[in-house]
Amino acid sequence: MIVESTAIPPPGRREMRRASRREAILDVAQRSFLESGYAATTMNAIAAELGGSKGTLWSYFPSKELLFAAVLDRATASFRTQVAVVLNPADPPERAIRGFCRRFVERICRPESIALYRLVIGESQRFPEVGRIFYERAPAITRKIVADYLAGAAERGQLKIEDAMLAAEQLTHMCLAGMHQRFILGLLDKPSAAMIKAEADRAADLFLRAYG
Amino acid sequence: MIVESTAIPPPGRREMRRASRREAILDVAQRSFLESGYAATTMNAIAAELGGSKGTLWSYFPSKELLFAAVLDRATASFRTQVAVVLNPADPPERAIRGFCRRFVERICRPESIALYRLVIGESQRFPEVGRIFYERAPAITRKIVADYLAGAAERGQLKIEDAMLAAEQLTHMCLAGMHQRFILGLLDKPSAAMIKAEADRAADLFLRAYG
DNA sequence: GAAAAATCATACCGTAGAGTACGGTAATGA
DNA sequence: TCATTACCGTACTCTACGGTATGATTTTTC
């Protein structure tokens, strides 16, 4: 009564299992690292939450540091892909910039983003690469996208901008001005949609007032 | 041949000794916390660097957490007093704002300030008061000072500002736009005077362009 | 169905660090 | 002078955690 049903698995069934197990480990580890920081996260706790044994955990990630690096890598990758920013050159610049600000503020004020930022900053002293990797994969990429748009808008005569990179940096940081610092320091917990909109509009207003 | 020279010490000589010892402990602890973070700082190392014994250290601060709190308190207090900002209402606003920006950027990009900010952010998850205390004693106070100046300038017709608190927040955060994040993440080490000036002027320019 | 690989459960090792205990010694106060 | 208080040095306890070892059990592959 043995049916050969599973059709696909010539490319290895072990590999599949292994990959999904790896993901499961990273899920648990990421949650713990983001929630408690590096030092307060214990391998024992991760193994316990996984249900498996310690030996298995170590067979996937031979040290806590390597596990941490893998978590960081995955987290920034997810950030990167989610910055599918909607800066449409066909829109009038007010609309495009306002839309970007809202999306950006919403993104960076999510609890996971805040936790990631905290984690990176907290560990960037002990692991200097952490800060560099994060910077290159999150803020630098966003800035580049915004700068490209702004340069185009300047060419089309829609905005008066000399240094697009500088302007992009100013715009993104304006989006951080109010709530973000308070989130980072733990004075606020959950952003409401109204707060996000207000924050984004304030940033866009100032920017457009200066460069419009 | 014993001369009763020391004139003042009726208010206790033990207390003096004790106070200065306490300061010495805080000096060492602060350096270590700022340099290595909370977790990587050990009470043993502090005691060793002090030269004294562990028992003495514990007699001043009965736990690592309490020592940490005391360090934080002192560090933010020193920050607070150093924000003797020169926002002179008699100056023309361009001059006043430019001057403030330079001083402010210089202040927050100092290695000690960066280390403190990192420490606070890194631990504000585990010790939620840390973030709150820091916010109230450093960013909030600065913002208040700036807002008061801006409100005055608006009344005198020098600037077009509706919401002074908002504008103050935007101005101070503009000063953080470029270098500060890179310092925090460890991509830069020591700010040059030229970098500080350029950064401050960029922030002031944008602000004055929008509100001038 | 049997060999091989992965996983499990659990006990263990080494280290490190927070906090304690204690006997001896120097400074302080009356 | 004498009691007290603070300090020193050091050894110690206890706990936690990263990492290892091992033997049994399951799963995959052929």
Side-chain angles (χ1 to χ4, degrees):
Chain A
M1 201 45 180
I2 294 169
V3 188
E4 295 234 354
S5 58
T6 60
I8 331 153
R13 197 149 104 218
R14 288 254 255 268
E15 279 74 18
M16 297 268 300
R17 231 185 107 83
R18 198 161 172 83
S20 81
R21 191 96 171 112
R22 192 187 140 95
E23 284 304 298
I25 293 176
L26 288 175
D27 283 342
V28 172
Q30 173 164 344
R31 222 183 36 66
S32 182
F33 278 129
L34 288 185
E35 199 164 277
S36 320
Y38 182 82
T41 292
T42 77
M43 297 294 269
N44 282 334
I46 292 175
E49 191 172 337
L50 270 169
S53 82
K54 294 180 68 174
T56 306
L57 175 54
W58 257 266
S59 85
Y60 281 88
F61 299 98
S63 82
K64 188 182 179 181
E65 285 195 18
L66 288 176
L67 175 57
F68 182 68
V71 164
L72 246 289
D73 195 70
R74 214 184 52 155
T76 56
S78 114
F79 196 102
R80 202 173 2 175
T81 61
Q82 286 197 38
V83 187
V85 195
V86 272
L87 273 169
N88 188 355
D91 286 340
E94 294 84 6
R95 185 181 159 74
I97 287 175
R98 243 174 249 284
F100 162 76
C101 286
R102 288 191 194 169
R103 200 187 174 96
F104 183 62
V105 171
E106 189 276 326
R107 183 72 186 80
I108 60 177
C109 285
R110 285 187 205 171
E112 321 95 70
S113 303
I114 297 290
L116 177 62
Y117 199 58
R118 270 189 190 150
L119 182 63
V120 167
I121 289 177
E123 303 303 330
S124 69
Q125 189 116 27
R126 205 170 6 175
F127 309 119
E129 322 155 87
V130 167
R132 199 182 42 76
I133 292 174
F134 176 81
Y135 183 77
E136 283 166 7
R137 297 193 180 177
I141 286 189
T142 305
R143 193 184 49 179
K144 181 68 168 54
I145 295 172
V146 175
D148 285 348
Y149 166 81
L150 292 178
E155 270 185 21
R156 290 188 297 276
Q158 297 173 321
L159 297 172
K160 289 177 292 187
I161 289 175
E162 310 94 54
D163 186 337
M165 272 299 204
L166 167 63
E169 205 162 63
Q170 289 172 331
L171 178 60
T172 53
H173 266 77
M174 224 103 70
C175 291
L176 303 172
M179 300 190 305
H180 193 255
Q181 189 178 48
R182 265 165 284 197
F183 275 118
I184 289 286
L185 295 175
L187 280 92
L188 292 175
D189 281 318
K190 37 185 175 184
S192 73
M195 283 169 62
I196 289 173
K197 184 173 173 303
E199 180 85 357
D201 286 353
R202 282 196 294 260
D205 283 345
L206 179 62
F207 186 82
L208 292 168
R209 223 154 131 176
Y211 288 116
Chain B
M1 201 45 179
I2 293 168
V3 188
E4 295 233 352
S5 58
T6 58
I8 331 153
R13 198 149 103 217
R14 288 253 254 269
E15 280 73 19
M16 297 265 301
R17 233 185 105 85
R18 197 162 172 84
S20 82
R21 192 98 171 112
R22 191 188 142 95
E23 285 303 300
I25 294 175
L26 287 175
D27 283 342
V28 172
Q30 173 164 345
R31 223 184 34 68
S32 181
F33 278 129
L34 288 185
E35 197 165 277
S36 321
Y38 182 82
T41 292
T42 78
M43 297 294 269
N44 281 334
I46 292 175
E49 191 172 338
L50 269 169
S53 83
K54 295 180 66 174
T56 307
L57 175 54
W58 258 268
S59 85
Y60 282 88
F61 300 97
S63 82
K64 187 181 178 181
E65 285 196 18
L66 289 176
L67 175 57
F68 182 67
V71 164
L72 246 291
D73 194 71
R74 215 184 51 156
T76 56
S78 113
F79 196 103
R80 203 172 1 175
T81 62
Q82 285 198 38
V83 188
V85 194
V86 271
L87 273 169
N88 187 356
D91 286 342
E94 293 84 6
R95 183 180 159 76
I97 287 175
R98 244 174 248 283
F100 162 76
C101 286
R102 288 192 194 166
R103 200 186 174 96
F104 183 62
V105 170
E106 189 276 326
R107 182 73 187 80
I108 61 177
C109 285
R110 285 188 204 168
E112 321 96 70
S113 302
I114 297 291
L116 177 62
Y117 199 58
R118 269 189 191 149
L119 183 63
V120 167
I121 289 177
E123 303 302 330
S124 69
Q125 190 115 28
R126 205 170 6 174
F127 309 119
E129 322 155 86
V130 167
R132 199 181 42 74
I133 292 174
F134 176 80
Y135 182 78
E136 285 166 6
R137 298 192 180 176
I141 286 189
T142 305
R143 193 184 50 179
K144 181 68 169 51
I145 295 171
V146 175
D148 285 348
Y149 167 81
L150 292 178
E155 269 184 22
R156 291 187 296 277
Q158 297 173 321
L159 297 171
K160 288 176 294 187
I161 289 174
E162 309 96 52
D163 187 337
M165 272 300 207
L166 167 62
E169 206 161 63
Q170 289 171 331
L171 178 59
T172 52
H173 266 77
M174 224 103 70
C175 291
L176 303 172
M179 300 190 304
H180 193 255
Q181 189 178 47
R182 266 165 285 199
F183 274 117
I184 289 285
L185 294 175
L187 280 91
L188 293 176
D189 281 318
K190 38 186 173 184
S192 73
M195 283 169 63
I196 289 173
K197 184 172 173 306
E199 179 85 358
D201 285 352
R202 282 196 295 260
D205 282 346
L206 179 62
F207 186 82
L208 292 167
R209 221 154 131 176
Y211 288 117

